[in-house]
Amino acid sequence: MDQLGAALRAWRDRLDPATVGFAHGSPRRVPGLRRAELATLAGISVEYVVRLEQGRVATPSAQVCSALARALHLSDDEQAHFLRMAGHATDPSRVPRMIPGSLYRIVDQLAGNPLAIYDATWQLLHWNPLFAATFGDPTVRGVGDRNVLVWQFLGELPRVRQTAAERVAFEESLVADLRATTSRYPDDPDLAALVSRLNLSPRFCELWSRRAVGGHQSAHKLVQHPDVGDVAMNSDILNTQDTNLRLVRWTRLLGGTRGTRKSRSSRQPSRGPSMECVNSARPCCRTRRSQHDHHIHHRGQQVPRF
């Protein structure tokens, strides 16, 4: 077992299951969390946890490491140590993706609103249950596709409708923000790969050629929710000073809900909870979600109350 696997096992053994919402039901032969419980909290498969602890995963993604750190209640120093062991050494030339505990605490305090944390390239790193309930479950997309620029220029924003003017303003702001990020992290290979990928979009190429520089601060969105109808929302962005992480909070505009709610009889039957291991092509097992879980976001499990 390598150092990363040994550390995961030690951190798992020290965590009291009751503190993360797992009652002491059946007798436990060993202290701490079971592998299946850690997998549930982190939103990955049990098989993947086993492979990590046995040292059979070369480089787990930064997103997986962050999810595990959150599930294991690691301190900021422990999370940084974990990322270094996983091959994500702190490098000032790379876009930071480590989410400090202080930012998680802010997310917990603002849990009454949809919230998400993005890195400086607008890669989605973390979200709360209300975000998934409002915009849909992000885990239906691969990790590499959980990026706002990819959604906007190469696909579509989940459940969002924009007017022509809103779309122009949003795209111009995003591209200017990305241009600013390239000057902060000119040697980041992931950032270069993202720009290369976005060049497949003629609209992105047009905006990128303008070389405008700016910062994306806020936006208006009309969310088309399948259960509550159209919801007008504003987003406000908190930027962290040292790491350029972005905490985005969505609030409903007063009187901003319209449309008819679908009757229960007209809805499709809800499927059971579905989870995926973000670093594995194999489908994950289905399991029960803890009420304290901040990493697993099930489809059809929550309807936002606007």
Side-chain angles (χ1 to χ4, degrees), residues 27-79:
R28 293 175 180 265
R29 293 179 296 176
V30 295
L33 287 179
R34 298 181 174 119
R35 288 192 179 103
E37 292 167 341
L38 175 58
T40 297
L41 291 172
I44 62 179
S45 69
V46 180
E47 292 83 358
Y48 193 71
V49 173
V50 172
R51 290 168 56 203
L52 281 170
E53 292 190 353
Q54 293 178 348
R56 294 190 287 120
V57 178
T59 306
S61 70
Q63 290 86 350
V64 166
C65 292
S66 295
L68 286 166
R70 171 71 166 170
L72 291 165
H73 290 197
L74 301 187
S75 67
D76 288 352
D77 288 339
E78 288 170 336
Q79 183 180 178

Side-chain angles (χ1 to χ4, degrees), residues 213-254:
V213 178
H216 180 59
Q217 297 299 326
S218 62
H220 169 78
K221 289 180 171 62
L222 186 66
V223 178
Q224 297 178 299
H225 195 276
D227 293 308
V228 301
D230 292 349
V231 183
M233 307 190 78
N234 279 340
S235 63
D236 296 298
I237 302 168
L238 171 67
N239 292 280
T240 60
Q241 187 172 11
D242 297 329
T243 60
N244 291 301
L245 296 174
R246 290 89 188 273
L247 172 61
V248 184
R249 178 193 184 202
W250 285 268
T251 54
R252 181 181 68 86
L253 297 178
L254 293 178

Side-chain angles (χ1 to χ4, degrees), residues 42 61-68 70 79 95-100 103-104 115-128 131 138-139 143 146-148 151 240 243-247 278 294-295 297:
S61 70
Q63 290 86 350
V64 166
C65 292
S66 295
L68 286 166
R70 171 71 166 170
Q79 183 180 178
V95 173
R97 292 187 171 89
M98 175 181 157
I99 303 174
L103 198 54
Y104 280 127
L115 298 166
I117 300 174
Y118 301 85
D119 69 12
T121 69
W122 290 100
Q123 177 74 19
L124 179 61
L125 302 177
H126 175 78
W127 60 93
N128 69 354
F131 175 92
T139 65
V143 174
R146 298 175 200 167
N147 183 285
V148 177
W151 292 338
T240 60
T243 60
N244 291 301
L245 296 174
R246 290 89 188 273
L247 172 61
V278 297
H294 294 279
H295 291 289
H297 311 277

Side-chain angles (χ1 to χ4, degrees), residues 90-275:
T90 302
D91 183 343
S93 69
R94 302 294 297 268
V95 173
R97 292 187 171 89
M98 175 181 157
I99 303 174
S102 58
L103 198 54
Y104 280 127
R105 288 192 290 272
I106 293 175
V107 169
D108 291 342
Q109 292 165 4
L110 299 176
N113 293 85
L115 298 166
I117 300 174
Y118 301 85
D119 69 12
T121 69
W122 290 100
Q123 177 74 19
L124 179 61
L125 302 177
H126 175 78
W127 60 93
N128 69 354
L130 263 181
F131 175 92
T134 303
F135 296 100
D137 179 10
T139 65
V140 301
R141 302 169 185 260
V143 174
D145 292 329
R146 298 175 200 167
N147 183 285
V148 177
L149 287 125
V150 171
W151 292 338
Q152 183 71 24
F153 291 102
L154 301 178
E156 61 180 18
L157 285 173
R159 296 183 180 175
V160 171
R161 190 173 73 206
Q162 299 169 309
T163 65
E166 288 169 348
R167 184 179 184 90
V168 167
F170 186 63
E171 290 178 346
E172 289 178 346
S173 179
L174 277 178
V175 173
D177 188 284
L178 186 66
R179 174 69 75 178
T181 297
T182 61
S183 66
R184 296 189 191 101
Y185 310 101
D187 299 321
D188 189 306
D190 294 335
L191 176 54
L194 174 63
V195 173
S196 177
R197 180 182 181 186
L198 290 170
N199 278 325
L200 296 173
S201 163
R203 173 62 175 163
F204 176 82
C205 290
E206 174 195 348
L207 295 175
W208 193 248
S209 67
R210 298 179 187 178
R211 296 188 173 273
V213 178
H216 180 59
Q217 297 299 326
S218 62
H220 169 78
K221 289 180 171 62
L222 186 66
V223 178
Q224 297 178 299
H225 195 276
D227 293 308
V228 301
D230 292 349
V231 183
M233 307 190 78
N234 279 340
S235 63
D236 296 298
I237 302 168
L238 171 67
N239 292 280
T240 60
Q241 187 172 11
D242 297 329
T243 60
N244 291 301
L245 296 174
R246 290 89 188 273
L247 172 61
V248 184
R249 178 193 184 202
W250 285 268
T251 54
R252 181 181 68 86
L253 297 178
L254 293 178
T257 305
R258 66 176 182 269
T260 58
R261 182 194 299 263
K262 293 181 181 179
S263 67
R264 291 187 180 272
S265 61
S266 66
R267 298 179 198 166
Q268 293 295 323
S270 176
R271 289 181 289 181
S274 173
M275 296 172 289

